[in-house]
Amino acid sequence: MIAALARAISRATGTNVDIETLKILVIFSGAGLLVSLVASMIYGQAINAALF
């Protein structure tokens, strides 16, 4: 699946996309999303209470 995504990106942009680079990018993006979701769950209630 990642190889197909890399080929699609390569065709769309006209550049050569390495599969390992794409894997690293997906891992860091997923980790950032996870951290932001956890932070919003923890601090979301405190921010919501402060606004109202």
Side-chain angles (χ1 to χ4, degrees):
M1 182 173 159
I2 297 239
L5 183 60
R7 280 193 302 269
I9 292 172
S10 293
R11 288 182 193 147
T13 61
T15 59
N16 190 11
V17 176
D18 187 30
I19 293 174
E20 293 300 319
T21 304
L22 188 59
K23 283 182 185 179
I24 292 170
L25 182 65
V26 167
I27 289 170
F28 279 111
S29 297
L33 179 63
L34 181 65
V35 168
S36 65
L37 286 173
V38 169
S40 69
M41 286 176 15
I42 292 172
Y43 297 112
Q45 293 174 355
I47 292 171
N48 209 7
L51 291 176
F52 296 108

